[in-house]
């Protein structure tokens, strides 16, 4: 069993060298170009990311009718806003929003892998990909949320959504108190990826 | 049954990792970029031809198969993108794009000199296709008539289909009953054929998908938290009518 639980002291150095070696060979052999990796990463910095989801949530906070449309027909509601092209693109072909409120708190998980709504949220953070989170959130979401610093009252129903087929779920958190008079842009700045996946709530700055 | 297929509900795992970063090491960005490019260049997609020599299929299903085929202890041992690095380099070697010896030799070069520049070059069409894939996506919805056997409010039984190398059926739902809360409009395929598991990429495999609500008290009797509901999206192939008490008697 020693080998099973042995980590190389140079673990990250070797991983880094192997990843770069793979990239170099794939460029040399004509699989990808020297710009491919940066092109992908740049796309997630500018086109697909949590800045899009935050914008939709902020609109939902100032316009209750928009919030209703966002939940009822997520794709159509997103299409109303000025987003970069690709809001129904990779990993966003079939997205659905669920809203917190009225005694309901939503939590998104993916017990089989790490399905995540790329266009509105970008790439999944490590907590979402963690096998321990994926296992425990299915059976004891309150205990898990407490570890994230979020206490959900026992009278609040928790809805846990396991992303096991085509739908990529995200949460519309509740507007925090004390944010009257803030602009949509200021409100969007309060919306974190964690609040749009349900392990946090949005808080006033 | 593979542990990776039935993670939901495991006990004794200790605290969750609340790390909010997407990448915790710079190299992880590289393997993510390569994976996304492979998906975009995969030949089954209806995208423009490019000069890339990548001619074999690579989808999420291939990446997931790799993770699901790992020794479960290793699955918990390695960080997310470490699993990707292992699976993706293995794929390029086993499909003949490069040899393990080439990869070892090149790795040694970068170990000795981590700042050694990457080679330059490549056709712009390749990167254009990668972006086009990100913009257009790859919907599993197919334009065929869906004939859903169940309606909202129906109680359904999750089948115990044969276990295979890859599935989209969370294992902890097998043999459990739930209630349909949504019948998604249309019919859906999956990225690859899963054999006896029942889903696949052929048009004949386009089928309804349901959202099904499960009572955690039935999933884990006496051992689940109160006042919550677990919803899962399930392909029709995984669902059956519950055996009624009368029929079972």
């Amino acid at each position: 069993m020693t080998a099973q639980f042995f980590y190389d002291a140079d673990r990250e150095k070797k991983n880094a060298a192997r990843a770069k070696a793979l990239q170099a060979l794939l460029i040399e052999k004509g699989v990808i170009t020297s710009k491919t990796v940066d092109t992908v990463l740049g796309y997630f910095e500018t086109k697909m990311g949590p800045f899009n989801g935050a914008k939709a949530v902020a609109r939902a906070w100032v316009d209750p009718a928009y919030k209703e449309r966002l939940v009822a027909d997520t794709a159509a509601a997103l299409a109303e806003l000025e987003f970069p092209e690709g809001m129904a693109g990779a990993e966003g072909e079939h997205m659905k929003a669920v809203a917190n409120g009225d005694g309901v708190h939503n939590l998104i998980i993916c017990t089989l892998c790490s399905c995540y709504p790329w266009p509105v949220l970008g790439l999944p953070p490590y907590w979402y990909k963690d096998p321990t989170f994926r296992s425990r959130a299915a059976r004891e979401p309150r205990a898990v949320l407490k570890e994230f610093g979020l206490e959900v009252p026992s009278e609040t129903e928790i809805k846990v959504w396991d992303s096991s087929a085509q739908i990529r779920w995200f949460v519309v958190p509740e507007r925090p108190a004390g944010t009257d008079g803030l602009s949509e842009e200021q409100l969007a700045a309060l919306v974190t990826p964690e609040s749009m996946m349900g392990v946090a709530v949005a808080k006033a700055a | 049954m593979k542990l990776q297929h039935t993670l939901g509900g495991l006990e004794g795992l200790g605290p969750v990792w609340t790390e909010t970063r997407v990448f915790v090491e710079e190299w992880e960005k590289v393997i993510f970029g390569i994976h996304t490019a492979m998906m975009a260049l995969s030949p089954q997609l209806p995208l423009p031809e490019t000069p890339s020599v990548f001619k074999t299929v690579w989808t999420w299903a291939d990446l997931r198969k790799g993770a699901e085929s790992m020794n479960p202890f290793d699955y918990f041992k390695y960080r997310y993108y470490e699993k990707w690095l292992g699976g993706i380099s293995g794929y390029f070697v086993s499909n003949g794009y490069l040899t393990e010896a080439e990869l070892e030799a090149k790795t040694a070069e970068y170990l000795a000199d981590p700042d050694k520049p990457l080679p330059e070059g490549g056709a712009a069409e390749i990167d254009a296709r990668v972006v086009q894939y990100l913009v257009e996506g790859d919907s599993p919805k197919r334009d065929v008539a869906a004939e859903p056997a169940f309606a909202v409010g129906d109680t359904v039984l999750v089948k115990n289909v044969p276990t295979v190398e890859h599935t989209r059926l969370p294992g902890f739902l097998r043999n459990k009953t739930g209630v349909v809360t949504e019948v998604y409009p249309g019919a859906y395929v999956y990225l690859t054929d899963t054999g006896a598991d029942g889903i696949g990429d052929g048009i004949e495999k386009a089928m309804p998908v349901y959202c099904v609500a499960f009572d955690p008290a039935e999933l884990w009797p006496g051992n689940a938290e109160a006042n919550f509901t677990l919803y899962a999206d399930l392909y029709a192939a995984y669902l059956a009518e519950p055996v009624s008490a009368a029929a079972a008697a």
Side-chain angles (χ1 to χ4, degrees), chain B residues 3-4 27 35 45 62 67 72 82 87 98-99 102 121 125 128 147 152 154 156 160 182 196 198 205 213 229 234 242:
Chain B
L3 180 61
Q4 286 91 315
W27 67 261
H35 158 76
L45 294 182
D62 298 276
E82 287 182 299
L98 44 94
T99 66
E102 280 178 301
E125 294 94 320
E147 289 165 11
V152 171
D154 284 355
V156 289
N160 190 14
E182 184 159 4
K205 284 282 174 72
T229 306
L234 297 170

Side-chain angles (χ1 to χ4, degrees), chain B:
Chain B
M1 168 73 66
K2 291 174 179 172
L3 180 61
Q4 286 91 315
H5 291 164
T6 189
L7 282 187
L10 287 186
E11 294 173 42
L13 293 176
V16 296
W17 190 24
T18 56
E19 174 62 61
T20 56
R21 284 176 295 169
V22 171
F23 301 107
V24 294
E25 292 285 336
E26 277 301 301
W27 67 261
E28 296 180 337
K29 297 177 178 175
V30 173
I31 199 65
F32 173 73
I34 292 171
H35 158 76
T36 304
M38 291 162 75
M39 291 205 298
L41 298 169
S42 191
Q44 87 287 359
L45 294 182
L47 295 174
E49 288 278 326
T50 76
S52 171
V53 300
F54 193 68
K55 300 295 175 209
T56 49
V57 171
W58 178 263
T59 68
W60 284 115
D62 298 276
L63 185 76
R64 292 168 186 160
K65 263 186 221 175
E68 290 166 26
S69 69
M70 290 177 79
N71 174 318
F73 293 113
D74 284 341
Y75 184 83
F76 277 93
K77 176 181 171 183
Y78 292 110
R79 209 170 56 241
Y80 187 74
Y81 285 116
E82 287 182 299
K83 290 178 258 204
W84 286 38
L85 180 59
I88 290 169
S89 9
Y91 175 88
F92 279 114
V93 171
S94 63
N95 281 277
Y97 291 99
L98 44 94
T99 66
E100 186 59 40
E102 280 178 301
L103 190 54
E104 289 293 331
K106 192 66 92 181
T107 302
E109 282 177 36
Y110 283 114
L111 260 180
D113 180 6
D115 297 325
K116 189 184 156 188
L118 287 164
E120 283 294 326
E125 294 94 320
I126 295 175
D127 297 332
R129 173 164 165 151
V130 172
V131 170
Q132 195 180 344
Y133 160 71
L134 288 169
V135 169
E136 293 179 8
D138 176 24
S139 170
K141 194 172 181 185
R142 293 293 175 267
D143 194 16
V144 297
E147 289 165 11
F150 303 110
V152 171
D154 284 355
T155 297
V156 289
L157 172 69
V158 179
K159 289 191 201 171
N160 190 14
V161 292
T163 58
V164 291
E165 62 175 347
H166 178 51
T167 184
R168 290 310 294 172
L169 174 59
F172 59 94
L173 300 176
R174 285 170 181 264
N175 294 317
K176 305 291 184 184
T177 55
V179 175
V180 173
T181 59
E182 184 159 4
V183 183
Y184 294 110
Y188 301 83
V189 294
Y190 185 59
L191 296 159
T192 193
D193 197 309
T194 61
D197 174 73
I199 59 175
D201 54 351
I203 190 80
E204 74 287 352
K205 284 282 174 72
M207 63 182 77
V209 176
Y210 302 90
C211 187
V212 182
F214 294 89
D215 179 356
E218 280 185 34
L219 298 177
W220 299 288
N223 206 15
E225 281 180 4
N227 200 18
F228 89 97
T229 306
L230 187 134
Y231 297 83
D233 294 324
L234 297 170
Y235 281 89
Y238 298 142
L239 299 177
E241 269 187 60
V243 182
S244 73

